[in-house]
Amino acid sequence: MTFEDILYEVRNGVAWITINRPEKMNSFRGQTCDEIIKALNKAGYDKSVGAIVLAGAGDRAFCTGGDQSAHNGNYDGRGTIGLPMEELHTAIRDVPKPVIARVQGFAIGGGNVLCTICDLTICSDKAQFGQVGPKMGSVDPGYGTAFLARVVGEKKAREIWYLNRRYSGQEAVAMGLANVCVPHEQLDAEVQKWGEEMCERSPTALAIAKRSFNADTAHQSGIAGLGMYALKLYYDTEESREGVNALKEKRKPEFRKYVK
């Protein structure tokens, strides 16, 4: 299986899926999402693999969400909004093995959503988490909002989405978005250690536990599916396009001038 946007490697039973677009802050385009989905399925049903790591190349970013250069009212791939986000999020949840988000830098926007959905999140002391949707004319109307509230609590989730602030690795641990924050130079060793520990556990027991955890929030996939269609309609508005245009023009967006 040949990949262009990601790297795939198995280290002592732990599959590492690394978004390899550091020049784009590991933002994803349509092809990136498709490759991650394929890699998750490859690792998920490989009997020699006991745990999966989702990572980002370089030191600056884990993932910063959708590639804005591939977004002009719609992204460049398949799916409701030009990105198969519903499928990607479902793949992380449905793969019968624990998925660890390894966060060494920015986990912003859609990258923050990936951290939310992954079974575990391990970050370095250089990590930064947060959402930017309402600043950019976008939002995640599925797991990124509904499931985030389950992870960090309703009030904190609303703060994250309404104010678009940045949070350190230690703050992410305190709110429940991350499991542990370690010194930057120890991150890979810590992630591999957790992965190898899970490789020693009963794979069937882990799969059943994961399914059981997910069953409690399975209804949120319906929210996500409906929400993505609403998001597509929103992307067709001048209000949403203002966010992308302001970014390109390096100015502050003026959303309210488009509200009638």
Side-chain angles (χ1 to χ4, degrees):
M1 192 176 291
T2 302
F3 298 117
E4 181 181 344
D5 284 11
I6 69 169
L7 303 173
Y8 183 89
E9 178 187 7
V10 178
R11 307 177 189 174
N12 196 26
V14 181
W16 285 64
I17 300 169
T18 304
I19 303 172
N20 190 29
R21 306 185 77 222
E23 75 286 354
K24 294 285 188 178
M25 299 286 280
N26 294 320
S27 60
F28 45 71
R29 54 181 177 171
Q31 179 176 332
T32 318
C33 295
D34 281 329
E35 291 186 8
I36 296 172
I37 293 167
K38 290 177 181 177
L40 284 166
N41 285 318
K42 175 181 173 70
Y45 298 96
D46 181 345
K47 293 182 179 179
S48 69
V49 170
I52 301 168
V53 173
L54 184 58
D59 281 336
R60 296 186 66 198
F62 162 70
C63 176
T64 55
D67 183 354
Q68 293 300 309
S69 67
H71 174 45
N72 184 19
N74 205 39
Y75 287 96
D76 65 337
R78 61 188 179 83
T80 309
I81 61 169
L83 292 173
M85 296 313 304
E86 303 101 304
E87 288 182 48
L88 175 55
H89 295 166
T90 298
I92 294 171
R93 283 171 60 89
D94 283 358
V95 67
K97 292 167 186 175
V99 181
I100 305 170
R102 167 206 176 265
V103 182
Q104 84 288 20
F106 294 110
I108 303 295
N112 193 78
V113 175
L114 294 181
C115 292
T116 302
I117 297 172
C118 283
D119 297 278
L120 303 165
T121 297
I122 300 174
C123 66
S124 90
D125 52 11
K126 293 184 179 181
Q128 290 192 50
F129 298 81
Q131 282 300 337
V132 293
K135 291 174 67 175
M136 296 297 300
S138 183
V139 67
D140 186 306
Y143 288 116
T145 44
F147 188 60
L148 180 67
R150 183 66 64 92
V151 172
V152 304
E154 189 81 23
K155 294 292 186 180
K156 198 67 178 180
R158 290 172 187 258
E159 173 192 315
I160 290 169
W161 273 101
Y162 295 171
L163 299 180
N164 309 135
R165 292 173 176 169
R166 301 266 176 97
Y167 302 89
S168 69
Q170 292 290 358
E171 288 175 311
V173 172
M175 73 174 79
L177 184 57
N179 295 85
V180 65
C181 179
V182 300
H184 189 73
E185 63 276 7
Q186 297 177 19
L187 180 61
D188 282 359
E190 188 72 13
V191 170
Q192 184 67 21
K193 175 185 173 184
W194 283 51
E196 290 180 5
E197 279 190 48
M198 287 184 285
C199 287
E200 297 174 354
R201 307 297 182 257
S202 163
T204 303
L206 290 180
I208 293 171
K210 179 166 180 172
R211 294 287 188 187
S212 181
F213 284 125
N214 289 346
D216 185 47
T217 52
H219 65 283
Q220 292 182 356
S221 66
I223 297 173
L226 179 64
M228 286 297 171
Y229 275 95
L231 186 61
K232 176 176 173 52
L233 295 174
Y234 173 50
Y235 279 165
D236 288 336
T237 67
E238 291 300 321
E239 181 183 341
S240 175
R241 292 195 180 102
E242 169 66 8
V244 177
N245 292 335
L247 178 67
K248 291 178 179 177
E249 297 166 12
K250 298 181 179 180
R251 59 175 175 81
K252 187 175 181 179
E254 300 177 60
F255 293 113
R256 292 194 173 275
K257 71 180 182 180
Y258 296 106
V259 178
K260 298 179 181 179

